[in-house]
Amino acid sequence: MDAPTTTSGENGMSGGSGWFTPRTEPSAPLPPDSPERVPAQRPASVVEEGSADAILIRRTLAEIAPIADKVTSYFYALLFVRHPELRALFPAAMDGQRERLLKALLTAAEHLDNTSVLVDYLQGLGRGHRKYGTRAEHYPAVGECLIGALSNYAATVWSPEVEAAWVRAYTTISQVMIDAAAADELRSPAWWQAEIVTHDLRTPDVAILTVRPGQPYPFLAGQYTSVETPWWPRVWRHYSFASAPRSDGLLTFHVKAVPAGWVSNALVHRARPGDVVRLGPPTGSMTVDHTTDSGLLCLGGGTGIAPIKALVEDVAERGERRPVDVFYGARTDHDLYDIDTMLRLQQSHPWLSVRAVIDQQAHVQLPDALRDYGPWYEYDAYLSGPPGMIRSGIDTLRDIGIPSNRIRHDSVEELLVVGN
């Protein structure tokens, strides 16, 4: 059960059961785990926006923010003690997985009023959680422990009204995920087996892998998937597709080995042709809008160039001649491991411009390099790379006149923040 990150979640039942089963009337608040507390008084001058439930939820999140690690640990302790059968759905070591489920739920709750973005986010989670073996009847247990953890740590704001708001929010969140999983089960497997056919070590810590799925794998250029290796069962990490869909059905990924990265190090240093990995369903909304002829402004940092390359191929295959400007960022020359491929694409397509931005040479971060070119206000922007680059890139793109609704990137949680 995880939420997508920038780098580098059920069966055909249509409803949950038990504690968080959706109701037509607001559910009665559950008894808190500790004596009722008096909600904190807020200054009369503070005007909070949003629905009543959203306001109460944001107050809870603000209360637990400084102690998020304790809340997370308590949540999983409750989950595994009260429902030990769910432990098998998680990897043996929880250090990488530990925060993801709770973080995804809290992110969704925080953006309760942002319906369009939230539904897309939750549907992706619901489909993605099928690969863990998650079923509709698991959701009430998770909701029960979520409320238990929040009521225990949000001491100064918890009340029957706050609890009822969280019950309603989780009921909505879980039902969207359950319905998405049920619909997905009718048309797709929970996961795909894929054999590694080539393994190209471009640098000591970056490899380009091409895999052959055992059955057709539909996706769109700009999307990403989750990958599980045979060496770390139930540990999944997200990687973007590095090409547009191909007639031979092959898929390509760019993987950078990161410190303590179990999956990335296995894929870079241990995997070989013939090894079989598992793929989750495709997800992500960083795709090209082919109903317009707007130019594309693409920023790819490090292995974030992978989905950018896929977008360029997608435009080329459509026969479009809309301008595409790619800024390929790296710390050193050595990190421009795929620059030759991008330059060959530029030679083949006159509408494509590729510029390398090397931090140590230009002494400028990738987003800031945009200011020397443009104007960009009529372009759709695409960002892929480390979280810090995406955050600064969003700010820069807004500053140079690109509205938020024309900025796309490969981090769901960041997308929720931008969309809100």
Side-chain angles (χ1 to χ4, degrees):
M1 299 178 171
D2 59 338
T5 58
T6 51
T7 53
S8 316
E10 302 111 347
N11 59 20
M13 301 175 67
S14 60
S17 60
W19 205 65
F20 279 97
T21 301
R23 302 175 174 90
T24 56
E25 298 295 331
S27 54
L30 297 171
D33 287 352
S34 53
E36 182 175 331
R37 287 99 170 193
V38 178
Q41 299 299 311
R42 303 181 69 83
S45 59
V46 176
V47 178
E48 296 178 284
E49 298 180 352
S51 66
D53 281 0
I55 290 171
L56 294 175
I57 285 168
R58 286 198 295 268
R59 290 178 185 176
T60 311
L61 294 173
E63 177 77 4
I64 66 171
I67 51 172
D69 286 346
K70 291 182 178 179
V71 178
T72 302
S73 297
Y74 190 76
F75 166 77
Y76 281 109
L78 284 180
L79 188 64
F80 296 152
V81 168
R82 295 181 180 179
H83 305 279
E85 72 280 3
L86 298 185
R87 184 62 181 89
L89 301 181
F90 294 83
M94 291 286 291
D95 53 347
Q97 181 70 38
R98 193 172 66 98
E99 298 180 358
R100 295 186 176 186
L101 170 59
L102 184 60
K103 187 175 182 180
L105 295 174
L106 297 181
T107 298
E110 182 178 5
H111 298 274
L112 189 64
D113 287 347
N114 192 5
T115 305
S116 60
V117 175
L118 180 61
V119 169
D120 287 343
Y121 175 49
L122 294 174
Q123 288 176 338
L125 284 181
R127 291 189 293 267
H129 282 183
R130 290 182 58 217
K131 66 181 178 287
Y132 297 106
T134 310
R135 300 190 302 272
E137 58 266 30
H138 295 153
Y139 283 86
V142 172
E144 169 196 329
C145 298
L146 171 66
I147 296 295
L150 293 174
S151 64
N152 191 66
Y153 282 96
T156 63
V157 298
W158 200 256
S159 69
E161 292 76 21
V162 171
E163 185 164 297
W166 275 98
V167 169
R168 287 189 290 268
Y170 183 79
T171 297
T172 298
I173 289 168
S174 61
Q175 194 62 61
V176 173
M177 295 173 66
I178 290 167
D179 290 345
D184 192 59
E185 187 177 31
L186 299 177
R187 59 178 179 265
S188 299
W191 43 265
W192 287 254
Q193 284 192 326
E195 179 185 356
I196 298 174
V197 294
T198 65
H199 184 283
D200 180 8
L201 193 64
R202 290 293 182 89
T203 77
D205 59 358
V206 174
I208 295 181
L209 285 74
T210 300
V211 305
R212 178 184 293 110
Q215 53 188 306
Y217 187 100
F219 73 99
L220 300 175
Q223 290 190 306
Y224 59 91
T225 188
S226 49
V227 179
E228 179 201 51
T229 71
W231 304 285
W232 298 107
R234 300 189 302 280
V235 179
W236 298 77
R237 292 296 181 266
H238 293 95
Y239 297 100
S240 296
F241 301 104
S243 65
R246 297 165 48 167
S247 59
D248 59 12
L250 297 180
L251 310 173
T252 301
F253 302 99
H254 295 188
V255 182
K256 179 180 176 64
V258 298
W262 296 357
V263 175
S264 65
N265 277 281
L267 291 174
V268 172
H269 300 303
R270 189 168 182 175
R272 294 293 181 269
D275 290 332
V276 176
V277 298
R278 294 205 298 181
L279 308 177
T283 191
S285 58
M286 197 183 77
T287 55
V288 177
D289 181 358
H290 291 287
T291 65
T292 76
D293 57 1
S294 301
L296 274 64
L297 173 60
C298 303
L299 283 70
T303 53
I305 198 64
I308 301 302
K309 175 175 170 286
L311 295 177
V312 171
E313 293 181 358
D314 188 30
V315 173
E317 290 176 4
R318 295 277 183 141
E320 298 169 344
R321 298 184 62 84
R322 58 203 296 185
V324 179
D325 287 73
V326 173
F327 288 78
Y328 184 177
R331 294 179 180 176
T332 67
D333 287 345
H334 182 71
D335 296 323
L336 293 172
Y337 65 91
D338 209 32
I339 188 64
D340 290 344
T341 301
M342 298 305 299
L343 292 177
R344 283 196 297 270
L345 286 170
Q346 179 180 247
Q347 291 175 349
S348 302
H349 306 296
W351 42 262
L352 173 62
S353 174
V354 177
R355 299 179 180 92
V357 180
I358 304 171
D359 291 353
Q360 292 186 2
Q361 291 182 3
H363 303 291
V364 62
Q365 297 295 313
L366 174 57
D368 293 329
L370 301 177
R371 300 182 187 277
D372 296 332
Y373 302 91
W376 305 114
Y377 54 85
E378 293 185 351
Y379 279 63
D380 293 332
Y382 298 80
L383 301 91
S384 178
M389 189 214 84
I390 290 180
R391 285 192 291 268
S392 61
I394 291 169
D395 292 339
T396 300
L397 292 169
R398 286 170 169 168
D399 288 345
I400 61 179
I402 299 181
S404 296
N405 63 354
R406 298 179 71 168
I407 301 174
R408 298 184 175 124
H409 49 92
D410 61 354
S411 164
V412 174
E413 291 164 25
E414 291 287 343
L415 182 59
L416 282 169
V417 173
V418 173
N420 201 43

